[in-house]
Structure formats: C-alpha cells, structure tokens
Amino acid sequence: MKDVVNEEKIACFEAGIKLGALFHQFVGAPVSLENARILEMAMESCMRLQPFVVSAEVKIDRERLKEMVSSFGYISLSGELIRARVTVKVGETLARAELYWDDEKKYPMMRLI
Amino acid sequence: MKDVVNEEKIACFEAGIKLGALFHQFVGAPVSLENARILEMAMESCMRLQPFVVSAEVKIDRERLKEMVSSFGYISLSGELIRARVTVKVGETLARAELYWDDEKKYPMMRLI
Amino acid sequence: MKDVVNEEKIACFEAGIKLGALFHQFVGAPVSLENARILEMAMESCMRLQPFVVSAEVKIDRERLKEMVSSFGYISLSGELIRARVTVKVGETLARAELYWDDEKKYPMMRLI
Amino acid sequence: MKDVVNEEKIACFEAGIKLGALFHQFVGAPVSLENARILEMAMESCMRLQPFVVSAEVKIDRERLKEMVSSFGYISLSGELIRARVTVKVGETLARAELYWDDEKKYPMMRLI
C-alpha cells in the first residue's frame, strides 16, 4: 500500500517537472503560423525523451497567435499560446497533467487532471 | 482523508514544477566565480515567487565551475553545476524536493526528499 | 584601414550576440516588484562576463509589470518589460546597442546606437 | 558609401543577434538521436522567422551526442553539440556567421565568416 502511495507522489512530481521544464525551455522561441507545427512537434519530442513520460501533446493556439503577432510576422512564444498535456507512469501508477492559459488570472495554469 | 491525499499529490506536483522550471530557465546563463552568488540569489528569488513555495535554495558548485571554466573565464550554467532544494506547502501538506548532479548517470537528478 | 572596418563589423556582431543572448536566456523568468532588482543585477552580471563587453545595463519596467501582473503576484519576464543597453569594445572600436519594447510593432527592438 | 557601411554594421549586428538567440533559447532542451532532426528543424525554423534572415542551418553533433548521453538515453542540449550558420541580408549587404564548439577553448565560438 505504502508503495502505491509513493508511486503516486513520484508520478505527480514527475508530471510537474515535465510541465515546468516545457514552459521555461520554450517560452521566448520565435513562432508564427509557419513554424507552429514544427515547434509543437519538437516540444512534444523533448517531453517524450524524459523519464516516465508515456505521452505528451502540445498545442500552440493559432487564433491567439494571429491576434498577438508583431509587425515582423511572428512572436516570442508565451504562456498565452501554449496548451500541453503529459502522462507519466511510475511503476503501475499513472499521473496526467495539463498546462493551459487562464485569461482571468493572466497565468499559465498547471494542474493534475 | 481524501483531501490530504490530494494535497499530497498536488504538493508533489508543484515541487516538480519548480525544479523543472528552474533548470530549464537558467541553464545556459553565463556564470563564473564573480557572478555565481548573484545568479544563485536571482534563481532563488524566481522560485520563491511561484505558488506554494515556502523556501528555495540554490547552490552553484564553485569547485566544478573552476574545473569546467572556458578560456573566456566563464561557462554556460549546466546541470553539473546546480544543486537546488525547494519546499512547497499545499494546505497543511509540505513537499520537499531536490535537484543534484549524478556523475555516474551524467544526469541532473530530481527527487522528493 | 581594413582592420578598423573589421573591428567595427566584429564589434557590431558581438553587440548583437549579447542582446540576442540576454533576451532568450531570461524571457520566462518569474518576476515581480520584489525580485526585479536582483534579476536586473543577475542579467547585467551575465552580460558582463561575455567577451568584449565593457558595460551592460538592464531595466525591468516596473510600471508595466504592475499592469501585467497575474493573480499570483508575478509574471513571466517578457519583451514588454525589458530595456537593456550594452557596450562592447573590439580592439579600439566601440559598439553600443539597445533592446527596447516597441508598442506599435509589438516587438522587442534591438538596434545599434 | 556611408549607407553601405551602415548596412554592413547592421547586418553584422543582426547576425550576432540570431546566434546569441539560438544558443540561449535552445540550450537545455532534451535531445537524443531520436529527436535531433526535429529539434534542428525547429531551431532553423525559429531563426528563419527573424528579421533579415536569408538562410539558417543547424546541426546537432550525433557522434558527440552518443558519447555524452546520460543513463536516461538523452542529454540537455549544450554548446558541445551545436553547429549553426546563418546568413542575413540588410539592404543589399549580406553577413554570414557561424556557431561552433571549440574543444581547446571549451567554448561555443561565434564568428563572422
């Protein structure tokens, strides 16, 4: 029983690492409609390499990207634009978490789901 | 009871976020013996701003920094050089985690402690 | 004569490196009124370590920080908030450049000054 | 004549921005043989979005990657692994620059070529 509790805690910890890492690694990267897909794929590939990751999904919000775009046709990737989900597995225990932008809080929320 | 379990899981998740964020935000920053202290302080200050953080400590390994330093007198901050500890509090539940370099694994380990 | 031209080109190149590095290293870092000064100092210290840098100055815009702050009392450092100046010296040639936010272009401009 | 000199200076400045940005944005990203290509493509795509860029090429050193890889099968992207070239065009003036690792200096060199 105790081991399952520990696995759960480690799984939650690992899920947190992945979202914190994703956000702080890639925020600032130049992005436009042209390279949004390749950037999503690279971001997902980086998450999938990390320990315990079973699946990872990253979506860059194209509609908001169009609204925020600079005069130079692209923007620095920011919290407003990123939605991500990650599933990790520690022993037999799964943890699933997501990153999404909360407009009211003006904050990139991360939570277990 | 269930709430305590949930608080534990969230606390572990939040601790993970902080270490993942720290590493991926600051790796790459120019560092030498001259600015190691100010960089540690900035890194700690960034962790302390984040939700649920009770305390944060960052140590840049000066001995290893001296060994690894480039011809230009500094180096890009890397996993070999960073040791960090963070404590988060969710409700009444504390979680504590650390980041340290494992020479055998050649990897910046993160774990609940 | 040719050498002076080369020195000028290298100085301009080096100034560009420093501003590109600064922006992409630190964008995303958690910042509030509490740690803005320590973060400025760390950012300046990182620039000063780099080759050819004579002086570096970073200002985080407190007024705009207050406007943009999230419900959690801080924000991810972004282009809107950073103003920086750097002077590099290659041989006897100085180059000076700045980074500032342009509201109309919605872009962190970098230019030789 | 003066304009050409200015164009040259700006082109060199812009080339520097791109290499400084590339290095400090992507250092730290998880990389293995599996995602090296997608990461190269993402890095190139980010450079190409930036003002004045005519072409950009990024190579991650697979041989060195294999040597440096951690027990977890991947590594944080670091200066030892990145080679990049960028060409910018300002008016009619081209500037070309590269980033490469210098083993003796233990440093990611950037230079106009």
Side-chain angles (χ1 to χ4, degrees):
Chain A
M1 181 61 189
K2 190 158 173 291
D3 284 347
V4 174
V5 171
N6 276 342
E7 277 180 12
E8 273 195 345
K9 290 168 68 172
I10 296 170
C12 294
F13 177 64
E14 292 291 337
I17 292 171
K18 273 62 178 178
L19 292 185
L22 181 80
F23 184 86
H24 289 274
Q25 182 62 55
F26 289 100
V27 160
V31 64
S32 76
L33 293 180
E34 276 175 66
N35 78 331
R37 185 65 197 123
I38 186 83
L39 200 54
E40 287 170 346
M41 289 169 66
M43 292 167 79
E44 290 173 350
S45 78
C46 287
M47 295 181 91
R48 286 193 193 114
L49 287 184
Q50 294 176 279
F52 307 111
V53 174
V54 173
S55 69
E57 194 183 357
V58 177
K59 292 283 175 209
I60 294 170
D61 186 334
R62 268 75 165 172
E63 289 313 307
R64 197 176 281 252
L65 179 52
K66 283 187 228 170
E67 292 163 26
M68 295 174 67
V69 72
S70 74
S71 304
F72 295 93
Y74 74 98
I75 192 175
S76 293
L77 187 64
S78 65
E80 286 93 332
L81 298 174
I82 313 171
R83 183 172 185 100
R85 287 190 176 166
V86 66
T87 305
V88 301
K89 188 175 185 182
V90 175
E92 292 307 308
T93 307
L94 292 166
R96 190 163 164 77
E98 69 175 353
L99 160 65
Y100 64 97
W101 181 254
D102 183 316
D103 262 326
E104 279 188 31
K105 296 195 172 77
K106 297 192 280 182
Y107 193 79
M109 299 297 290
M110 298 183 192
R111 66 176 176 193
L112 292 164
I113 52 177
Chain B
M1 181 61 189
K2 188 157 175 293
D3 284 347
V4 174
V5 171
N6 276 342
E7 277 179 15
E8 274 196 345
K9 289 168 68 171
I10 296 170
C12 294
F13 177 64
E14 292 291 337
I17 293 171
K18 274 61 178 178
L19 292 185
L22 181 80
F23 185 86
H24 288 274
Q25 182 63 55
F26 289 100
V27 160
V31 64
S32 75
L33 293 180
E34 276 176 66
N35 78 331
R37 186 65 197 123
I38 187 84
L39 201 54
E40 287 170 347
M41 290 170 65
M43 292 166 80
E44 290 173 351
S45 78
C46 288
M47 294 180 91
R48 285 196 193 109
L49 287 184
Q50 294 175 279
F52 307 112
V53 174
V54 173
S55 69
E57 194 184 355
V58 177
K59 291 284 175 207
I60 293 170
D61 185 334
R62 269 74 165 170
E63 290 313 307
R64 199 177 276 254
L65 179 53
K66 283 187 226 170
E67 291 163 28
M68 293 173 69
V69 71
S70 74
S71 303
F72 295 94
Y74 76 97
I75 192 174
S76 293
L77 187 64
S78 65
E80 287 93 330
L81 298 174
I82 312 171
R83 185 172 183 100
R85 288 191 174 165
V86 67
T87 305
V88 301
K89 189 175 185 182
V90 174
E92 292 307 308
T93 306
L94 291 167
R96 189 163 163 76
E98 69 175 353
L99 160 65
Y100 64 98
W101 181 253
D102 184 315
D103 261 324
E104 279 187 31
K105 295 195 174 80
K106 298 193 278 182
Y107 194 80
M109 300 296 292
M110 300 183 190
R111 66 175 176 194
L112 293 165
I113 51 176
Chain C
M1 181 57 192
K2 189 155 175 292
D3 284 348
V4 174
V5 171
N6 276 342
E7 277 179 14
E8 274 195 345
K9 289 169 69 171
I10 296 170
C12 295
F13 177 64
E14 293 290 337
I17 293 171
K18 274 62 180 178
L19 292 184
L22 182 80
F23 184 86
H24 289 273
Q25 182 62 54
F26 290 100
V27 161
V31 64
S32 75
L33 293 180
E34 276 176 64
N35 79 331
R37 184 65 197 122
I38 186 84
L39 200 55
E40 287 170 347
M41 287 170 67
M43 292 167 79
E44 290 173 351
S45 79
C46 287
M47 294 181 89
R48 286 195 191 110
L49 287 183
Q50 294 175 279
F52 307 112
V53 174
V54 173
S55 69
E57 194 183 357
V58 176
K59 293 284 175 207
I60 293 170
D61 186 333
R62 270 77 165 169
E63 290 313 306
R64 198 177 279 251
L65 179 53
K66 282 188 229 171
E67 292 163 25
M68 294 174 67
V69 72
S70 75
S71 304
F72 296 92
Y74 75 98
I75 193 175
S76 293
L77 187 64
S78 65
E80 286 91 331
L81 297 173
I82 313 170
R83 184 173 184 100
R85 287 191 175 165
V86 65
T87 305
V88 301
K89 188 176 184 181
V90 174
E92 292 308 308
T93 307
L94 292 166
R96 190 163 164 77
E98 69 175 354
L99 159 65
Y100 64 97
W101 181 255
D102 184 315
D103 262 326
E104 279 188 30
K105 296 194 172 80
K106 299 193 279 182
Y107 194 80
M109 299 296 291
M110 300 183 190
R111 67 174 175 194
L112 293 164
I113 53 178
Chain D
M1 180 60 190
K2 189 156 174 292
D3 284 347
V4 174
V5 171
N6 276 343
E7 278 180 11
E8 274 196 344
K9 290 169 68 171
I10 296 169
C12 293
F13 176 65
E14 292 290 337
I17 292 171
K18 274 61 179 178
L19 292 185
L22 181 80
F23 185 86
H24 290 273
Q25 182 62 54
F26 289 100
V27 161
V31 64
S32 76
L33 293 181
E34 276 176 65
N35 78 330
R37 185 66 198 122
I38 186 85
L39 201 54
E40 286 170 346
M41 287 169 66
M43 293 166 79
E44 290 173 350
S45 78
C46 288
M47 295 180 91
R48 285 195 192 110
L49 286 184
Q50 294 175 281
F52 306 113
V53 174
V54 172
S55 70
E57 193 184 357
V58 176
K59 292 284 175 207
I60 293 171
D61 185 335
R62 269 77 164 169
E63 290 311 308
R64 199 176 277 251
L65 179 53
K66 284 187 227 170
E67 292 162 27
M68 294 174 68
V69 72
S70 75
S71 303
F72 295 94
Y74 74 98
I75 193 175
S76 292
L77 188 64
S78 66
E80 287 92 332
L81 298 174
I82 313 169
R83 184 171 184 100
R85 288 192 175 164
V86 65
T87 304
V88 301
K89 188 174 185 182
V90 175
E92 292 307 308
T93 306
L94 292 167
R96 189 163 165 76
E98 68 175 353
L99 159 64
Y100 64 97
W101 180 255
D102 184 314
D103 262 324
E104 280 188 29
K105 295 194 173 81
K106 298 192 279 181
Y107 194 80
M109 300 295 292
M110 298 182 190
R111 67 175 174 193
L112 292 165
I113 53 179

